Amino acid sequence: MSEFQPKIVAFVCNWCTYAGADLTGTSRMKYSPQVSIIRFPCTGRIDFMLLLKAFANGADGIIVSGCHPNDCHYTSGNFHARRRWILFRGLLDFMGIDTRRIEFSWISAAEGAKWAQLVNTTAENIRKLGPFANYEKLRHQGVS
Amino acid sequence: MKTGFYPGCSMKGSAREYSESLLAVAAALGRELPEIPDWNCCGATAAHNLNQDLSLALPARILAAAEKDGMDEVLVPCAACYSRLSVTRYELLQDEDLRQKISGLIETNYRGSAKVLNIIEWLTSIPDLETKIKAPFARRVACYYGCLLVRPAGILKFDRPEEPQSMDQLLKKIGATPLDWAFKTECCGAGFSVSRTDLVAKLSGLILDDAVARGAEAVIVACPMCHLNLDLRRPQIEKRAGKKINIPVIYITQALGLALGIAPKKLGLQRHTVAVKFSQSTEGAANVAQSSGSKTLPGEK
Amino acid sequence: MARIGVFICHCGENISATVDVQKVAAAAARIPGVAHSVDYKYMCSDPGQQMIKNAIKEKNLTGVVVAACSPRMHEPTFRRACAEAGLNPFLCEMANIREHCSWVHEKSDATTNKAIDLVRMMIEKVKKSKALLPIKVPVTKTALVLGGGIAGIQASLDIANTGHQVILVEKEPSIGGHMSQLSETFPTLDCSQCILTPRMVEVAQHPNITLYSYAELESLEGFIGNFKARIRKKARSLDEKLCTGCGLCIQKCPAKKIPSEFDANMGIRTAIYVPFPQAIPNKPVIDRGHCTYYLKGKCRLCEKICPTQAIRFDQEDEIIAVDVGAVVLATGFDIKHGDFFPEYGYGKYKDIIDGLQFERLASASGPTLGEIRRPSDGKIPETVVFVACAGSRDPAKGIEYCSKICCMYTAKHAMLYKHKVHEGKPYVFYMDIRAGGKMYEEFVRRAMEEDGVQYIRGRVSRIYERNGKLIVKGADTLLGARPMEIQADMVVLATAGVANAGAEELAQKVHISYDAYYFYSEAHPKLRPVETNTAGIFLAGACQAPKDIPESVAQASAAASKVAALFSQAELIREPLIAVVDRSAPPLYSTCVGCFLCQSSCPYQAIEKEEIRGRDGQLIKTVAKVNPGLCQGCGTCVALCRSKSIDIQGFSHEQVYSEVLALLNRRESDV
C-alpha cells in the first residue's frame, strides 16, 4: 500500500518567499516534493477565495507566505493579507475545514533554510492529518 | 503546583549538610518538599561515560516517577544530578523515537511534563524572601557557580554562562555583599578529586586564591562536588600552596538558613572540614577594589 | 485557438539530473493547446533562444512557456527573445523547475511529476495571458546618496562627474565617516585623514553636489526614476550662511567635559562643537542634550561672542523635499559595543578597549595626541594584548560571520603600538589570519617578522584584573593547547563589525531587503552586488557587509555607474504589470461601484477618481482609475475589490485561477 502523499499548494510573494525558495534551491537544500509554488507579486494580491478553490480541487494543505511585517516590498500588502487571514481563519473554522491544513508564514529572501524547514514540517503535518476528503462536499455546495 | 524533591546520592552521603540545611530552610519557609517515590541514582558521570541508553534511562525513570506522583516540577539541588536530569528531559523531548525507546526501557511512558529546577531557580521563585530574613548575612561573599549550573547553555538556558548573576542576586537579597571576582565558573578539578588530587589542589587553589585576594569572607556554592573540592580537599590545597587558607565554603542553603535565624548546628555547619568562622569586623565592600583602574587590593602591596 | 510553445531546459545537468526532461516535454505535448514541445540543453544560450524564435515564426505560436530556472533569473532573457521574434513578451512565462524542483528534490517520479505540474500550470496561465505594451515614464536625473563616509563620498563624486546632480545626506555634523577616525590605513600605513580630506573638500566644492550634513532621510516615496524624498535637516542652532568657522564659540564654551563620539568616548568635547578640525562643513553644531542653555536656560556665551551673530537658539529642524531618480545607500557600519563579552571585562575595565578606540589613541589628532596611553591612568602600557575575532565567527555570541577587516587592522594596531613604544610587547591572540587583499599577507608578515609582534593561535577565555594588571588567559593551540596567561597593561578587542543602529528603520523606509544581521541585501550575491531588489536603489560600502576601504570605494564607483546608466536613458520603460479598472459599454461603463476601498489601501496613492459623464455632460458615475505611472503592481486592491472590478495585468483573476486549477488537476495523459 502506497503511503499517502499530500498535495500542498503554496501561495507566495515574489519579493520575499519566492526569492527565499530560490535561495533554498541555489543552496541545494532538500525538501519534500509535495509542495508546489504559485507566484504572486505580493501576499496582498492573494484573494482568499483562491484558497477555497485550491481545497475544492484536491489540495490537502495550503501554505501562504510573504514578507515579514514592515518589510513588504509594497509597504503594506502583507498587512492586508494578515488581516484577511485572521477573518478567513474564522470562516474556515465555521465551514468545518481543519485550520491546521493552512500554514501562514513570513519568510524573507534570505531565509532559504526556513523555507525548506516550513515545507518539510507542513508536509509532515498534512500527511498526519490525512487527505482532505471534505472538498467533495464543498464541490457539491457550489464552490468550484 | 506540586514541587517534588530529588536528593540524589551525595545528599544522603558526603553532602548531608546540604540536605539538612535545605530541609531546615524549606520548613522555615513553610514549603513542602516531598521526595520522589522510589528514586534511583541519576547515573552521574559514570553512566554517560559508559552507556548512552543507561545515562538517559536512569534520569528518565526518576522523572517518570515524579510525573506519576503528580509533580509539576522537581527541585534538584545537586548540580550534577540537575545537569543529568535536564539534559535527559531535553534530549527525549527533542527526539520522539528516543523518547519511545527509553520509555520502553524503563517500562513507563515518560511524557516530559515535569520541569527540572536547580536550587537557585527554586530559591528565586520564593516570593518575599527578603521579608523573612531575621539576621541579614552581612558578609562579603564570592559566589562560585562551578561548571554544571549554567552549562550547556543551549540546553539549560539558565543565567549567563560566562558571567552569571543569579546566585549573586540571591545573596544580595539575604543581606550579603557578593563580590565581583574572576573565577565564578572556572574548573575546580571536578571528578579528578580522587584520581588526580594534585590537579584539584592546583585548580581549586587558584579559585580560593582569587576569592581571598578580593576580600571574600566565604565562598558560596550550590553543588556537592564544588564543596568537596574546595572544602574537603583543603589540606591538599594548603600543602601545595605552602600556607594556611582559612576561607570557609558554605552551601547557599546554609547561608540562607543563617539569615533566616536557624541554628548553625541544624544547618550542618559543623560537618565542614574548614571551620565556618567569620571575623567580627564587617568593613563591607568599600575597602575592596571592585573593577577598573590600577588600585591595589587589600593586603597587597 | 491557443498555440503554445513549450521549451524544457536541461540546464546542463542541473535540471536533467533529477527531472526526466524528455518525459516533461512529452507530457506537455499532449496538453490541448500546445503546438510545440521540445527539450534542450541550454535554453538561455544563443542557439536555445534561436530555437524559441524559430518556433514562434514557424508554428505561429500564441504563447511560450520556458521550463527552466527561476523567472527571477531569466524571464527578461526569454521575453526579449520572444519580442525579437514578433511575439508580445508578456505572452511568455517561465516554469521554475530548477530552484523549485530539480535542485531541491531527489531524482524520482515525484520530482518529474511535480515538474510536469509546474509546466502545466504555466501553460494554462499563458492561455489567459494578454499582450501588453510597456509604459514610458520620465527619469529625474538627480541622485540621492545617503551616507557621507568614504563610500558615499566616492559615489557622489563619480555621479557628479558624469554631469548629473547629487544630493548627499549625512547624519553626523561632518562627512568622513569611520575613515576619518582612523589613524593610518592598511596596507600602506597612509595617514587616513591625509588621503580622505582632499576628497571631502572636493565634495564640498563640487558644483553638482548639494551636501546636507547633520541631516537624515525622513521618507522616500515613488519608484525608480521618480522618487520623492523628504530630508530632515536637523537644527544646528546656527545660521550657516553667517558662520565663518572661526571657532571662537568652541574655545569659550563652558560645557567642556562631554564624551566625544568622534573620539569613541576616549576624549571630550564641548557642547558647541565641530567633531574634528578637518570637518566638512567646518561649522559647529550645538548638542542640545548637553548645552547649558537648553538644559537650564543659562549661558548663551557663544551667542554673545560670535563675531557674525550666527547663533540661532530657536532654530528648528527643516524638512526639505527633493525629487530624485536613484538612491545610493552608503550608510556604513559600526563595531559592536556593549556587555556582550562579560568574560573579557569589556565595559568593566577601562583599559580594555575596542579597535576604534585604539585608532583614536594612535591618531595624531586624537585625545592623547598619538601616544598610546592607558585610559585609566594615562601611563604608557608595556604589554598590550590584541584579541582578534572578539565576537565574530562565534554562534554563541550571535555573530556567525567573519568581519573581514579585523585581522588586518589588528596587525596594523600591533605595528603602530610597536613603532610608538619601542620596548613594548604586543601579543595577538588569533584564530586564523585572513589577509586576502593585495599586499595584505606581506603586511601581516611584516608585523610578525620585522616588528616582533607575538602571534598566538588560540582564543582568550577570560580577562580579569589582579594587582593592577589585566590577566589574559588563553591557549596556544600550536603548542598543543598549552594554557597561556599574559599580564597585560592594556587589551584591545577586535570586536565584530555590525550594522549601524537605525539600519533596519532605514531599510524599511526605502523598502529594501536586509538579512538577519541588518546588513542590506544585494540583488544577487555573485553578479549583482551593488543593486537591491528594489529598482533604483543601490548599495555601496559596509552597509551591505563588513568590508575594507578599497572594496568600499570600488563598490561605490560601481553603484555610481549603475546610476549613470539609469540616467543615460531619455525615459524609463516600465513593465505594464499594473492594475486596471474595467471599462465596458454604456449603460454599465464599469462594474466599479465607486466605494474607493482600493484607493485607501494603495500604498502609492496610485488610484484616482474618474468621473464618467454622459454626452450632455451629466455625471453618470464616479469610478476608480489607476494611474499607470504610479501603480507598482502589488495587487492589494485587486484582492480587496468587492465587485472584482479591478484586475492586475500579468496576475489577473483568470490567469491565477487557471494556475490553481491546472496545478491540482493532473491529467491522465500527464503520467
Side-chain angles (χ1 to χ4, degrees):
Chain A
M1 185 173 98
S2 61
E3 210 190 273
F4 157 61
Q5 297 295 1
K7 280 159 78 167
I8 301 169
V9 183
F11 297 78
V12 309
C13 83
N14 174 61
W15 300 96
C16 282
T17 305
Y18 195 92
D22 276 355
L23 180 60
T24 318
T26 322
S27 316
R28 311 292 198 278
M29 290 184 229
K30 301 282 181 247
Y31 55 82
S32 162
Q34 312 311 123
V35 176
S36 292
I37 292 175
I38 304 183
R39 182 165 76 132
F40 289 82
C42 177
T43 45
R45 166 69 185 89
I46 300 171
D47 186 342
F48 279 61
M49 289 304 289
L50 278 174
L51 308 197
L52 285 181
K53 198 65 153 172
F55 277 133
N57 279 275
D60 300 301
I62 288 176
I63 295 174
V64 176
S65 181
C67 304
H68 289 263
N70 281 321
D71 294 348
C72 176
H73 181 82
Y74 302 100
T75 319
S76 51
N78 58 358
F79 290 143
H80 286 279
R82 186 167 62 175
R83 270 174 247 163
R84 234 174 263 155
W85 165 239
I86 293 169
L87 291 173
F88 190 68
R89 207 161 179 275
L91 177 66
L92 283 178
D93 202 27
F94 179 73
M95 288 168 73
I97 294 177
D98 190 337
T99 53
R100 287 175 300 175
R101 291 192 180 272
I102 306 194
E103 269 298 324
F104 199 73
S105 88
W106 309 120
I107 292 183
S108 82
E111 292 177 307
K114 200 171 162 196
W115 173 249
Q117 207 178 37
L118 177 68
V119 169
N120 286 332
T121 313
T122 307
E124 198 39 49
N125 290 343
I126 304 295
R127 192 171 288 132
K128 284 201 192 110
L129 287 173
F132 182 46
N134 290 359
Y135 76 87
E136 280 298 327
K137 281 207 300 216
L138 283 182
R139 177 167 279 202
H140 292 309
Q141 280 160 17
V143 178
S144 56
Chain B
M1 172 77 82
K2 185 173 181 191
T3 306
F5 170 44
Y6 175 69
C9 307
S10 39
M11 298 277 269
K12 298 285 183 186
S14 57
R16 267 164 71 191
E17 65 273 27
Y18 193 7
S19 179
E20 285 171 350
S21 54
L22 169 63
L23 293 173
V25 160
L29 294 172
R31 304 260 145 169
E32 290 203 1
L33 282 179
E35 277 188 23
I36 298 174
D38 192 33
W39 59 267
N40 51 274
C41 167
C42 73
T45 20
H48 74 70
N49 266 310
L50 296 172
N51 184 310
Q52 229 247 337
D53 287 347
L54 181 65
S55 75
L56 294 169
L58 288 170
R61 186 180 175 280
I62 299 163
L63 290 173
E67 278 171 12
K68 188 151 165 245
D69 201 53
M71 294 169 178
D72 305 284
E73 55 185 29
V74 178
L75 164 62
V76 188
C78 165
C81 302
Y82 164 70
S83 178
R84 289 312 311 152
L85 266 60
S86 301
V87 168
T88 299
R89 179 169 183 243
Y90 177 85
E91 299 278 342
L92 298 193
L93 284 178
Q94 287 271 337
D95 186 340
E96 175 57 23
D97 290 334
L98 191 58
R99 188 192 68 78
Q100 289 190 10
K101 178 179 173 196
I102 301 296
S103 294
L105 281 178
I106 61 173
E107 292 172 355
T108 317
N109 181 31
Y110 170 59
R111 291 188 330 267
S113 58
K115 282 171 52 172
V116 179
L117 302 178
N118 63 43
I119 187 71
I120 303 176
E121 286 175 310
W122 184 72
L123 288 173
T124 310
S125 72
I126 295 172
D128 308 323
L129 190 61
E130 300 96 314
T131 57
K132 308 194 170 77
I133 304 300
K134 298 206 175 77
F137 189 69
R139 300 281 157 205
R140 295 188 303 278
V141 296
C143 292
Y144 179 64
Y145 292 75
C147 55
L148 292 173
L149 275 180
V150 292
R151 304 199 286 267
I155 292 178
L156 301 179
K157 296 198 197 342
F158 169 66
D159 210 343
R160 300 196 301 179
E162 296 285 0
E163 177 56 34
Q165 291 291 327
S166 49
M167 208 195 302
D168 298 64
Q169 302 295 349
L170 256 180
L171 266 294
K172 239 194 237 167
K173 266 194 202 171
I174 67 169
T177 306
L179 299 175
D180 176 41
W181 64 306
F183 282 71
K184 275 185 180 177
T185 55
E186 300 301 299
C187 180
C188 68
F192 285 124
S193 194
V194 173
S195 53
R196 287 293 303 271
T197 320
D198 60 311
L199 289 179
V200 169
K202 177 180 173 192
L203 293 172
S204 292
L206 289 172
I207 295 168
L208 295 174
D209 191 48
D210 195 69
V212 167
R214 309 261 173 183
E217 297 173 79
V219 175
I220 313 292
V221 297
C223 162
M225 179 97 266
C226 304
H227 193 269
L228 194 140
N229 281 343
L230 294 172
D231 178 79
L232 184 65
R233 294 290 178 228
R234 189 64 61 89
Q236 288 91 335
I237 296 170
E238 286 173 340
K239 186 163 178 220
R240 187 180 187 278
K243 60 179 181 195
K244 278 212 86 47
I245 304 170
N246 294 322
I247 185 168
V249 183
I250 62 178
Y251 287 101
I252 187 169
T253 40
Q254 291 175 322
L256 176 55
L258 288 173
L260 290 172
I262 303 174
K265 251 233 153 70
K266 287 193 98 177
L267 301 169
L269 287 173
Q270 74 285 3
R271 297 195 197 281
H272 294 187
T273 305
V274 179
V276 183
K277 293 200 299 260
F278 300 105
S279 67
Q280 285 313 304
S281 88
T282 48
E283 265 164 36
N287 281 345
V288 182
Q290 283 292 333
S291 58
S292 56
S294 55
K295 301 195 197 79
T296 53
L297 295 162
E300 314 265 354
K301 297 287 174 283
Chain C
M1 186 57 212
R3 300 182 55 76
I4 314 283
V6 181
F7 303 85
I8 317 289
C9 187
H10 298 213
C11 193
E13 265 206 353
N14 282 312
I15 296 176
S16 54
T18 50
V19 170
D20 185 341
V21 287
Q22 275 97 14
K23 199 161 172 225
V24 177
R30 292 191 287 267
I31 295 175
V34 172
H36 181 84
S37 179
V38 294
D39 61 274
Y40 182 65
K41 244 184 159 29
Y42 296 107
M43 285 313 307
C44 58
S45 64
D46 269 349
Q49 292 187 50
Q50 196 56 45
M51 271 176 74
I52 299 177
K53 293 182 198 174
N54 291 344
I56 289 173
K57 295 195 185 113
E58 285 158 19
K59 298 265 177 102
N60 220 352
L61 297 180
T62 57
V64 161
V65 172
V66 181
C69 51
S70 171
R72 294 172 63 92
M73 182 117 263
H74 272 310
E75 192 176 73
T77 313
F78 295 117
R79 283 193 171 168
R80 201 171 28 242
C82 288
E84 283 168 11
L87 181 69
N88 185 288
F90 296 98
L91 297 172
C92 167
E93 291 280 349
M94 284 186 74
N96 185 340
I97 62 169
R98 190 183 73 170
E99 279 87 334
H100 289 186
C101 191
S102 74
W103 269 351
V104 291
H105 305 315
E106 306 294 342
K107 184 181 165 111
S108 73
D109 285 340
T111 305
T112 301
N113 287 338
K114 176 173 165 177
I116 295 174
D117 287 344
L118 293 173
V119 170
R120 188 178 60 244
M121 175 170 85
M122 296 324 277
I123 291 171
E124 296 304 320
K125 180 180 183 187
V126 167
K127 284 183 187 172
K128 304 285 188 205
S129 295
K130 295 194 166 53
L132 303 170
L133 294 172
I135 302 163
K136 299 196 170 113
V137 286
V139 181
T140 308
K141 297 187 188 190
T142 300
L144 176 65
V145 177
L146 296 176
I150 183 61
I153 288 171
Q154 185 65 45
S156 301
L157 288 172
D158 285 343
I159 298 171
N161 284 336
T162 62
H164 295 117
Q165 295 297 310
V166 177
I167 297 171
L168 175 57
V169 177
E170 164 58 48
K171 79 167 185 237
E172 296 297 329
S174 165
I175 55 174
H178 284 309
M179 190 174 169
S180 58
Q181 291 175 290
L182 306 181
S183 72
E184 284 158 56
T185 58
F186 57 78
T188 49
L189 293 183
D190 271 307
C191 153
S192 183
Q193 291 232 0
C194 304
I195 56 176
L196 176 64
T197 43
R199 296 276 172 104
M200 287 166 59
V201 170
E202 217 185 317
V203 163
Q205 294 178 345
H206 204 295
N208 290 344
I209 299 179
T210 307
L211 171 61
Y212 291 117
S213 60
Y214 204 52
E216 291 186 56
L217 182 72
E218 180 80 357
S219 69
L220 184 73
E221 282 166 13
F223 54 96
I224 180 175
N226 299 275
F227 289 109
K228 282 189 170 359
R230 281 164 64 244
I231 298 162
R232 174 180 292 273
K233 201 166 176 320
K234 298 182 285 194
R236 280 184 185 250
S237 312
L238 188 77
D239 184 336
E240 286 173 71
K241 291 199 260 317
L242 295 176
C243 171
T244 59
C246 69
L248 205 53
C249 50
I250 300 171
Q251 280 177 34
K252 299 293 183 191
C253 176
K256 287 190 189 303
K257 294 256 173 65
I258 302 156
S260 160
E261 296 85 349
F262 185 77
D263 279 336
N265 297 335
M266 300 291 275
I268 52 173
R269 59 163 173 83
T270 43
I272 185 167
Y273 72 105
V274 157
F276 55 102
Q278 301 88 340
I280 301 271
N282 193 5
K283 312 250 158 108
V285 63
I286 296 183
D287 171 8
R288 295 187 180 189
H290 285 102
C291 165
T292 311
Y293 171 69
Y294 288 104
L295 292 175
K296 298 188 196 139
K298 301 203 196 109
C299 187
R300 303 179 79 135
L301 201 54
C302 50
E303 189 187 37
K304 293 187 195 106
I305 57 160
C306 174
T308 54
Q309 281 102 56
I311 306 290
R312 297 276 177 278
F313 284 115
D314 54 358
Q315 192 179 63
E316 285 179 7
D317 292 355
E318 197 190 329
I319 305 282
I320 300 169
V322 293
D323 289 340
V324 299
V327 180
V328 177
L329 292 169
T331 47
F333 73 123
D334 199 356
I335 54 172
K336 197 165 164 83
H337 306 289
D339 187 25
F340 65 103
F341 253 125
E343 65 267 45
Y344 287 3
Y346 182 44
K348 196 163 38 167
Y349 303 119
K350 273 189 163 173
D351 296 322
I352 300 185
I353 60 176
D354 62 45
L356 259 181
Q357 291 176 315
F358 186 85
E359 292 283 349
R360 295 314 302 149
L361 287 181
S363 177
S365 58
T368 55
L369 302 177
E371 294 193 340
I372 309 297
R373 290 187 176 277
R374 285 162 37 113
S376 60
D377 58 12
K379 292 207 181 96
I380 297 186
E382 289 167 13
T383 305
V384 179
V385 171
F386 298 88
V387 181
C389 288
S392 309
R393 308 177 61 192
D394 193 342
K397 295 290 178 209
I399 294 181
E400 290 196 22
Y401 56 84
C402 166
S403 295
K404 200 162 190 186
I405 56 177
C406 334
C407 282
M408 287 305 293
Y409 77 62
T410 296
K412 176 185 75 170
H413 288 171
M415 284 163 74
L416 289 180
Y417 166 67
K418 192 73 185 186
H419 293 174
K420 291 173 193 265
V421 183
H422 297 300
E423 302 301 317
K425 293 197 200 50
Y427 295 88
V428 175
F429 278 93
Y430 72 101
M431 295 210 285
D432 297 285
I433 301 291
R434 293 179 170 185
K438 193 164 177 176
M439 299 296 292
Y440 282 19
E441 175 69 22
E442 296 93 317
F443 183 79
V444 180
R445 286 229 153 257
R446 186 177 145 193
M448 292 176 184
E449 291 169 7
E450 286 176 33
D451 290 316
V453 179
Q454 178 94 306
Y455 270 74
I456 302 166
R457 187 180 182 278
R459 292 197 70 175
V460 171
S461 65
R462 197 168 284 274
I463 304 177
Y464 61 94
E465 202 197 30
R466 279 286 290 275
N467 303 343
K469 290 280 196 187
L470 292 166
I471 314 294
V472 179
K473 286 173 70 166
D476 190 335
T477 59
L478 293 178
L479 290 176
R482 182 170 79 175
M484 296 278 303
E485 200 175 279
I486 298 181
Q487 305 213 353
D489 300 302
M490 194 161 94
V491 175
V492 183
L493 302 178
T495 59
V498 294
N500 264 325
E504 188 188 8
E505 205 190 315
L506 181 61
Q508 288 171 358
K509 266 189 195 161
V510 304
H511 306 308
I512 57 163
S513 313
Y514 50 91
D515 65 18
Y517 301 107
Y518 305 110
F519 287 115
Y520 297 154
S521 300
E522 59 289 315
H524 189 274
K526 285 289 201 186
L527 294 180
R528 298 175 68 195
V530 298
E531 298 159 84
T532 61
N533 274 322
T534 307
I537 303 194
F538 305 97
L539 299 175
C543 60
Q544 184 239 352
K547 56 175 66 74
D548 55 25
I549 293 167
E551 282 186 350
S552 299
V553 170
Q555 232 191 12
S557 293
S561 81
K562 298 284 179 194
V563 171
L566 177 59
F567 290 177
S568 68
Q569 301 167 54
E571 37 178 27
L572 205 54
I573 312 292
R574 289 192 68 218
E575 286 212 326
L577 301 178
I578 56 166
V580 180
V581 182
D582 68 28
R583 287 284 183 274
S584 51
L588 186 60
Y589 293 99
S590 172
T591 58
C592 170
V593 300
C595 75
F596 296 106
L597 190 59
C598 51
Q599 190 183 51
S600 56
S601 67
C602 177
Y604 302 99
Q605 286 93 56
I607 300 191
E608 300 156 354
K609 291 191 175 148
E610 185 184 28
E611 290 178 341
I612 297 183
R613 292 183 177 275
R615 251 176 287 178
D616 51 3
Q618 209 186 3
L619 178 65
I620 299 172
K621 65 192 320 194
T622 310
V623 297
K625 180 175 190 288
V626 178
N627 180 333
L630 293 176
C631 174
Q632 293 300 299
C634 70
T636 301
C637 55
V638 173
L640 278 177
C641 180
R642 292 138 166 167
S643 52
K644 291 286 168 267
S645 312
I646 191 166
D647 205 353
I648 180 169
Q649 295 174 159
F651 295 94
S652 68
H653 295 304
E654 285 209 0
Q655 283 173 306
V656 157
Y657 270 86
S658 302
E659 284 183 275
V660 173
L661 290 173
L663 184 63
L664 288 164
N665 290 303
R666 223 170 246 179
R667 310 167 56 84
E668 275 168 32
S669 60
D670 288 339
V671 289

